[in-house]
Amino acid sequence: MINHRSELDLPPGLEGLVDLALDLRWTVRQTTDRVWELLDPEAWEKTKNPYLILQNISKSRLKELARDEVLGKEIREWQEKNAQFLAQPGWCEKHSDLGQIAYFSMEFGLSEALPIYSGGLGILAGDHLKTASDLGVPLVGVGLLYQQGYFRQVLDRDGSQIEAFPYNDPDSLPIEPAWNKEGGRLKIRINLPGRHLYLRVWRAQVGRVSLYLLDSNDPLNSPWDRAITASLYAPGQELRLIQEIILGVGGWLALKKMGIKPDVCHMNEGHAAFVVLARAYSFMEEVGCSFPVALWATRAGNVFTTHTPVEAGFDRFERSLLRKYAEHYTDSSRLSHNALASMGARTAGDDADDTSLFNIAFLALSGSCFINGVSRLHGRVSKGIFQPRYPNWPAIEVPVNYVTNGVHIPTWDSPAAQSLWSQSCDGGCDPDWIDYDAGRISEQSDQDIWGFRAVARKDLVEYARRRHARQMGEHGASPEEIEAARHVLDPNTFTMGFARRATAYKRTNLLLRDEERLVRILTNRDRPVQLLMAAKAHPADLAGKEMVKQMARFASRRDVSDRVIFLEDYDIDLAQHLQAGVDLWINTPLRPNEACGTSGMKVLANGGLNISTLDGWWDEAYSPEVGWLIGDGRESESESEPGAGYSAERDDEDARNLYRLLEEEVIPLFYQRNDQGIPSSWVAKIKASMAELTPRYSSMRMMKEYVEKIYHPAQEAYRRRAADGAKLAQQLVSWQERISQSWSGIHFGRLKVSREEARWHFQVEVYLGDVSPEDVRVELYADALPRSGREEEHGSARILMEQGELLAGSVNGFIYSADVPGERKAEDYTPRVVPYHPDAFIPQEDAHILWMR
């Protein structure tokens, strides 16, 4: 049985290396590179796995290193820094009543040493955990441990992508087994058709935060079941459904067995939606209440973050498959199969049609009171995606808000950037704990900024040469070719970076739309340009693979091979260097298909600038002072599928716009130098971008928003509903039953509108039938007024009408009235009746609505 902290016999002075190797918060370049390069530079360059280095280093080498004063000093400094960090209260102390939060995600991108991520969703989850640790947020992560993780990429001679699936040996990963209360290895058992599935539980350390990972590779399982967690996003509906049951149900049971009782469960995308059922059933058993009461109680503490800009991006399952695997989670006394199917249906009340698909995101939606997208634009798009669940409600009132993503800056900025930022603080500050809001980057001299950028570019060029030469050697290149690879690029040349998942809506090959024009841009003698590219396509995405091939072939052209590199296997290590060193980061998605995108955020603290279409985060960040805009911000005509709205004409237009910007604005600005050789106008953009955007798109800002706008309110709502044996939840169930049974009896009478000076006066007759006036609100509603450009809409007008006298001769009929400003036309306003309870989330938990026609 693995016990990493005791199995390594390290000489005195080196014991702290085990803690450092197992703490994934410290996978940042300024800490790890120095220490692990001293131990084994070759192994560190190839694996970025510190625990693997400790396992394989010889005892004689360890004894030698124990006498190394430089290494000893590095270890002691880290130990002191870490001890000080753990002892200090975090920002979240101001929310000292914040209870435990469980963060469920199908993937986590924390380090190359733990390769259980595929892209942006996982990187965001990893940054979320690191930031929770930094701020002292009481959060635990829950995910899966994959035997293979995501694929690694190599290229064939013609540039074709080849996938490799290396095995993740738990013995070599920076994780430890989780233990039960009796001191044994923690295992979870869940029910599958005709059998039990046993899940092992592992623990990874991320500063103050623990990440628990489940895997099915246990000898007690059948060979087929042992392979359920073999790969991230397993192919086929059945395997994927079981993985999602493991994440939601198994993850909840693991927390329960460890005595962790979260007030808030945060689902990072819909994959973990089965935690909604597991949590409700657990509450039902503990309190002794019905399933509806348990769901009403626990739903208030569930958070669902959607990252998908099109409904087709959600996992959907055949109803027959759901019936097969949900039989252990549905029965007549708790939740019927039809009721579960209804929770995952696209439209409200869809519980009978076995031909429709069960949408896992809609299950997450049904089981949460707090739903958010990951950028302002994505929040608006998500309202449209989920509107079918709220028939007759305006899109602007669909209960989806947004928290724009951010990045964990200490993971992504370079040592040179951290040094500059720490100097910009009044009196200086610790490079590991920089207050980016307080940093006075804009007051730094142009010379300091330009010198810092030269160091960053040089670091990237040296890294790219090493990786490129190793890549060439692995491809069987000649010694002469490998030597030439060590001398490509120029640290004084304008450097562009482009790295993406290769897929249609990201338009990964848009930069190559007119290759000859791009060649002319790159080879301009007076204003030379160099380009570093990376891209990975999903193994089943043939169009994406063609994009990768085109990029690789372009990089191999003889006329640009000294200034264009395609680097294989885009990963965290490459991103940390690439986004820290480039002068310009290029982004070309088809609006509005990128939910947020965070790669461009990673260049901000490093002094890189962005040029992008007006999609994702750039839609809210762009201004001419901080970067450039590709295109005109128009949206694609159809948003039903990823990449919908694609047209060759649109691509041609955007590519021409990109080339023109590079030729006429971007590159000339970079090479426009003053007498000291400094491009002062370019540096002004760097200062503006660093000062204005870095703190806005930091995960510190993101996490504080989650705590204050979502976690804390969710916890309070859950605790109110769960208190006193779920008394409030029971009242809410009764309230909803009354609404549902009697809603059809509500109708409107006459409407009177009059003008009184500068205001409109509305009076309307409302007959409530068997519904109590306390259970509803009568409102005047007017649609939002659009604004021009990229600004948000004015909020819709929603005015509460005052209940007046009982209508003569009526039963439960009243006159409702309201005054509104007279700037808008009276016909803009429409009376409506909506459900009301002070502790219910409307329309999230009850979507009844009646409009006066």
Side-chain angles (χ1 to χ4, degrees):
M1 192 173 293
I2 303 172
N3 189 341
H4 287 336
R5 296 184 188 274
S6 61
E7 68 177 1
L8 292 173
D9 183 19
L10 298 179
L14 300 184
E15 304 94 335
L17 287 175
V18 179
D19 290 328
L20 178 56
L22 292 175
D23 193 337
L24 295 168
R25 161 59 179 82
W26 295 97
T27 55
V28 292
R29 291 171 55 196
Q30 68 278 8
T31 300
T32 52
D33 281 6
R34 293 195 301 261
V35 172
W36 304 113
E37 283 176 355
L38 284 169
L39 268 70
D40 191 332
E42 182 181 2
W44 179 245
E45 178 77 17
K46 289 184 176 180
T47 70
K48 300 299 178 183
N49 186 336
Y51 185 68
L52 188 65
I53 291 174
L54 287 185
Q55 282 184 308
N56 289 283
I57 196 168
S58 67
K59 289 189 176 182
S60 61
R61 175 62 176 153
L62 285 171
K63 289 180 181 179
E64 178 185 345
L65 289 167
R67 298 189 294 270
D68 188 317
E69 294 182 3
V70 175
L71 177 60
K73 181 174 181 291
E74 293 283 356
I75 295 171
R76 288 191 301 274
E77 287 182 353
W78 175 79
Q79 288 178 308
E80 292 169 4
K81 184 184 298 182
N82 194 45
Q84 182 182 13
F85 161 64
L86 294 175
Q88 289 180 345
W91 166 87
C92 204
E93 286 293 308
K94 66 185 291 186
H95 295 279
S96 56
D97 62 334
L98 187 64
Q100 189 73 64
I101 299 150
Y103 182 82
F104 293 76
S105 182
M106 191 67 103
E107 52 176 299
F108 287 89
L110 288 155
S111 164
E112 285 309 308
L114 188 61
I116 55 171
Y117 71 97
S118 69
L121 181 72
I123 298 298
L124 184 279
D127 281 7
H128 201 92
L129 298 194
K130 292 175 184 177
T131 311
S133 171
D134 291 352
L135 294 177
V137 178
L139 183 144
V140 295
V142 181
L144 303 184
L145 180 67
Y146 305 99
Q147 287 93 290
Q148 293 179 334
Y150 205 53
F151 74 90
R152 309 312 299 248
Q153 178 198 58
V154 294
L155 299 183
D156 203 349
R157 287 175 178 267
D158 66 349
S160 298
Q161 174 178 291
I162 301 173
E163 297 89 26
F165 296 89
Y167 173 65
N168 285 338
D169 181 1
D171 287 343
S172 67
L173 301 178
I175 57 176
E176 298 180 292
W179 306 96
N180 59 32
K181 296 177 182 178
E182 292 74 35
R185 176 68 188 271
L186 177 63
K187 289 187 181 181
I188 303 300
R189 189 183 75 179
I190 65 173
N191 295 318
L192 293 180
R195 65 200 190 276
H196 298 304
L197 179 69
Y198 296 90
L199 302 168
R200 303 185 296 183
V201 184
W202 305 84
R203 176 178 173 272
Q205 188 71 32
V206 189
R208 292 185 174 107
V209 167
S210 293
L211 168 61
Y212 295 100
L213 302 169
L214 287 74
D215 89 283
S216 66
N217 191 22
D218 188 281
L220 293 179
N221 294 325
S222 69
W224 193 90
D225 284 350
R226 293 184 69 171
I228 289 172
T229 57
S231 59
L232 175 60
Y233 301 129
Q237 277 201 347
E238 189 161 8
L239 270 178
R240 182 73 66 87
L241 178 60
I242 300 173
Q243 282 189 344
E244 296 183 355
I245 291 172
I246 291 173
L247 178 60
V249 177
W252 175 263
L253 293 177
L255 295 177
K256 187 176 179 181
K257 267 205 167 184
M258 291 184 287
I260 299 172
K261 297 181 178 180
D263 286 331
V264 176
C265 287
H266 185 172
M267 292 166 274
N268 188 42
E269 219 10 297
H271 309 116
F274 283 102
V275 72
V276 169
L277 302 184
R279 184 181 189 186
Y281 288 167
S282 178
F283 187 92
M284 182 179 171
E285 293 168 0
E286 292 173 8
V287 177
C289 62
S290 67
F291 177 79
V293 171
L295 181 61
W296 269 86
T298 56
R299 180 167 55 207
N302 291 339
V303 177
F304 168 40
T305 296
T306 171
H307 296 256
T308 306
V310 287
E311 187 187 343
F314 296 131
D315 285 344
R316 295 173 291 182
F317 303 99
E318 299 289 343
R319 291 283 181 91
S320 58
L321 190 63
L322 176 70
R323 188 180 296 276
K324 174 182 177 181
Y325 281 95
E327 63 176 323
H328 296 287
Y329 309 102
T330 57
D331 57 49
S332 58
S333 64
R334 297 187 295 183
L335 178 69
S336 70
H337 175 78
N338 279 349
L340 173 58
S342 175
M343 292 178 73
R346 181 176 184 271
T347 56
D350 178 11
D351 60 357
D353 183 4
D354 271 353
T355 63
S356 63
L357 297 175
F358 178 83
N359 189 317
I360 196 72
F362 281 83
L363 173 60
L365 182 79
S366 299
S368 303
C369 280
F370 294 84
I371 304 100
N372 69 279
V374 289
S375 70
R376 183 179 66 193
L377 177 60
H378 180 238
R380 178 174 65 78
V381 170
S382 297
K383 287 177 180 288
I385 292 173
F386 293 119
Q387 189 170 19
R389 289 298 293 268
Y390 309 95
N392 300 318
W393 282 82
I396 198 171
E397 292 188 288
V398 171
V400 180
N401 293 308
Y402 73 91
V403 174
T404 302
N405 285 341
V407 296
H408 185 248
I409 299 173
T411 295
W412 302 106
D413 61 355
S414 67
Q418 291 207 341
S419 176
L420 182 72
W421 277 100
S422 63
Q423 293 169 18
S424 74
C425 298
D426 285 337
C429 58
D430 188 326
D432 289 311
W433 313 111
I434 296 169
D435 183 349
Y436 294 93
D437 283 302
R440 299 183 175 181
I441 284 292
S442 58
E443 297 179 9
Q444 298 295 299
S445 70
D446 286 4
Q447 186 173 356
D448 285 344
I449 295 289
W450 190 235
F452 141 70
R453 283 298 309 145
V455 171
R457 196 182 311 107
K458 177 176 178 290
D459 179 67
L460 171 60
V461 167
E462 291 175 348
Y463 172 85
R465 287 169 173 173
R466 291 194 305 271
R467 187 155 175 158
H468 184 47
R470 187 176 75 237
Q471 184 174 301
M472 295 284 287
E474 291 169 351
H475 286 198
S478 68
E480 294 78 16
E481 290 172 321
I482 296 172
E483 183 61 27
R486 294 191 177 102
H487 300 281
V488 297
L489 306 180
D490 179 352
N492 292 307
T493 290
F494 177 64
T495 304
M496 304 189 302
F498 184 90
R500 281 292 180 278
R501 180 162 56 92
T503 192
Y505 80 86
K506 290 183 179 287
R507 300 191 295 181
T508 314
N509 59 347
L510 186 72
L511 184 61
L512 305 180
R513 192 75 177 173
D514 184 342
E515 290 191 10
E516 298 310 315
R517 187 171 179 181
L518 180 59
V519 168
R520 291 195 296 272
I521 293 172
L522 293 165
T523 57
N524 185 302
R525 289 186 178 183
D526 298 323
R527 298 194 295 257
V529 178
Q530 54 199 15
L531 172 64
L532 284 82
M533 299 184 293
K536 293 173 77 172
H538 188 280
D541 187 347
L542 299 181
K545 287 185 174 184
E546 284 300 313
M547 293 180 187
V548 170
K549 182 187 290 188
Q550 183 183 359
M551 296 167 76
R553 285 181 169 177
F554 180 77
S556 66
R557 286 180 53 150
R558 291 184 179 275
D559 51 354
V560 295
S561 60
D562 62 335
R563 64 192 65 206
V564 178
I565 293 179
F566 183 91
L567 294 170
E568 297 175 2
D569 202 29
Y570 185 38
D571 58 12
I572 289 176
D573 181 55
L574 174 54
Q576 285 179 320
H577 288 83
L578 185 60
Q579 287 151 345
V582 296
D583 296 298
L584 184 73
W585 189 255
I586 302 171
N587 187 35
T588 56
L590 189 66
R591 176 185 168 105
N593 286 287
E594 184 154 87
C596 180
T598 58
S599 59
M601 298 177 187
K602 298 180 179 83
V603 309
L604 298 175
N606 293 291
L609 299 178
N610 282 274
I611 182 169
S612 174
T613 53
L614 207 60
D615 202 10
W617 76 284
W618 197 237
D619 174 70
E620 59 196 77
Y622 166 72
S623 71
E625 293 76 26
V626 299
W628 291 271
L629 168 63
I630 302 171
D632 56 10
R634 287 182 296 137
E635 296 186 3
S636 47
E637 295 178 2
S638 169
E639 299 171 17
S640 60
E641 297 289 338
Y646 165 85
S647 71
E649 294 77 11
R650 177 71 177 273
D651 281 1
D652 287 339
E653 182 181 345
D654 284 351
R656 285 193 297 269
N657 182 250
L658 173 57
Y659 296 139
R660 183 194 61 77
L661 284 169
L662 292 174
E663 293 166 335
E664 299 177 9
E665 297 184 30
V666 180
I667 300 169
L669 194 70
F670 180 87
Y671 283 106
Q672 183 181 321
R673 309 295 169 87
N674 61 19
D675 293 341
Q676 289 76 42
I678 298 172
S680 54
S681 296
W682 183 272
V683 170
K685 276 187 178 287
I686 291 176
K687 289 181 179 181
S689 174
M690 292 181 76
E692 296 173 20
L693 301 185
T694 300
R696 279 174 58 189
Y697 296 99
S698 159
S699 58
M700 290 285 194
R701 184 272 312 155
M702 176 190 74
M703 181 61 72
K704 290 176 181 179
E705 284 193 35
Y706 272 113
V707 168
E708 294 174 341
K709 296 181 179 179
I710 296 181
Y711 291 160
H712 204 270
Q715 172 186 276
E716 292 302 305
Y718 164 69
R719 288 180 176 178
R720 286 196 303 272
R721 293 186 183 189
D724 300 324
K727 181 179 179 180
L728 177 56
Q730 293 174 19
Q731 293 174 359
L732 286 164
V733 170
S734 299
W735 165 80
Q736 189 182 43
E737 288 176 350
R738 294 195 305 270
I739 292 291
S740 297
Q741 291 167 0
S742 305
W743 188 262
S744 61
I746 302 174
H747 64 277
F748 284 99
R750 293 173 299 171
L751 172 66
K752 293 182 179 180
V753 183
S754 59
R755 182 86 176 190
E756 297 179 4
E757 296 182 351
R759 301 181 67 82
W760 293 111
H761 179 70
F762 289 81
Q763 277 191 336
V764 65
E765 299 172 354
V766 182
Y767 298 88
L768 297 176
D770 293 332
V771 176
S772 168
E774 288 75 27
D775 288 343
V776 296
R777 276 182 164 172
V778 180
E779 300 172 337
L780 276 179
Y781 177 86
D783 284 327
L785 292 173
R787 287 183 174 179
S788 60
R790 292 164 46 236
E791 297 180 359
E792 289 186 274
E793 294 177 321
H794 283 294
S796 56
R798 184 174 178 174
I799 298 98
L800 178 65
M801 302 190 77
E802 184 178 349
Q803 180 186 338
E805 61 192 67
L806 183 70
L807 284 164
S810 72
V811 177
N812 211 19
F814 301 90
I815 293 177
Y816 286 83
S817 61
D819 290 326
V820 299
E823 287 85 357
R824 299 185 65 170
K825 295 180 294 185
E827 50 266 36
D828 284 354
Y829 295 92
T830 306
R832 69 184 189 180
V833 182
V834 297
Y836 174 73
H837 189 288
D839 288 288
F841 293 83
I842 305 298
Q844 172 57 14
E845 296 185 292
D846 194 304
H848 284 96
I849 190 168
L850 178 67
W851 296 89
M852 186 173 189
R853 300 302 179 188

